[in-house]
Amino acid sequence: SIKEALLTTFIMGVLGDFNIDVIEESQNPVIATTMFLLLQGISLVLMLNLLIALMGSSYEKVLETSAETLSRERCKWILTNLRTISMVPGWATKVQEDTAWFHVIVPETVQAEEDEPEWSGILASVKRSIGHIRQEQVNFRDEQVSLIQEVKKILQEKSGC
């Protein structure tokens, strides 16, 4: 029948090879088929969601290191060009005489921590949040220690009187 053909095609094409005869031989094949398709559909959506999350995480990791990678690749390119130019003696001296600038390699992560970019990735945001929370906890602990010391001092003064 058409129903069996569509079900077999869906099961073999999307979900893998299952024994459909067990579903057909159940006490209520309509409910069994519906439950089977529903559960398989839910698991398929969950697995696709997991795949999307993993791809997003990988993209974020690449995005966070893209500035450093770009700087490193530019440095390699500059070094390759300078080595090529230095093979020809006249060109090397001309480049040295005509160059009014130079390259400075500074990691952008130092500046990025100070400037708070508009979007720097979820992982970096979580790291910053954890750092702020840790600092707040240290400050709170220090305040508590100073308050305890003040209370001890007051109690010693009162007991000494």
Side-chain angles (χ1 to χ4, degrees):
S1 73
I2 294 177
K3 175 188 156 198
E4 290 176 10
L6 289 174
L7 184 62
T8 304
T9 304
F10 177 74
I11 289 172
M12 289 179 67
V14 176
L15 307 173
D17 192 16
F18 287 96
N19 189 1
I20 302 172
D21 296 333
V22 175
I23 296 173
E24 297 288 333
E25 294 170 1
S26 66
Q27 291 179 355
N28 194 343
V30 174
I31 292 177
T33 303
T34 305
M35 289 300 293
F36 175 76
L37 291 176
L38 181 69
L39 292 175
Q40 290 299 324
I42 289 172
S43 67
L44 182 67
V45 168
L46 287 173
M47 290 299 147
L48 285 174
N49 194 10
L50 178 65
L51 177 66
I52 290 168
L54 289 173
M55 295 301 288
S57 176
S58 298
Y59 175 75
E60 183 178 322
K61 287 178 185 176
V62 169
L63 188 65
E64 286 180 354
T65 60
S66 65
E68 290 84 4
T69 304
L70 178 63
S71 295
R72 185 174 55 248
E73 292 302 319
R74 282 183 179 172
C75 290
K76 287 180 183 178
W77 182 76
I78 291 168
L79 285 174
T80 303
N81 286 337
L82 289 175
R83 285 184 188 143
T84 304
I85 289 172
S86 67
M87 290 180 187
V88 180
W91 288 1
T93 55
K94 180 167 177 38
V95 167
Q96 288 176 355
E97 291 171 359
D98 293 346
T99 301
W101 45 266
F102 61 94
H103 293 276
V104 177
I105 302 171
V106 178
E108 292 184 12
T109 54
V110 175
Q111 296 171 354
E113 289 175 0
E114 297 171 358
D115 295 343
E116 289 290 328
E118 191 173 308
W119 186 86
S120 62
I122 296 171
L123 186 60
S125 174
V126 169
K127 286 179 183 178
R128 279 194 305 274
S129 296
I130 289 173
H132 292 303
I133 290 171
R134 283 185 180 164
Q135 186 60 42
E136 288 175 6
Q137 287 176 345
V138 168
N139 293 342
F140 182 71
R141 186 195 67 209
D142 292 342
E143 289 176 17
Q144 295 298 317
V145 168
S146 65
L147 286 173
I148 290 172
Q149 289 174 350
E150 286 180 30
V151 168
K152 282 182 181 179
K153 187 177 180 181
I154 292 170
L155 289 175
Q156 286 176 353
E157 289 175 359
K158 291 202 179 214
S159 67
C161 292

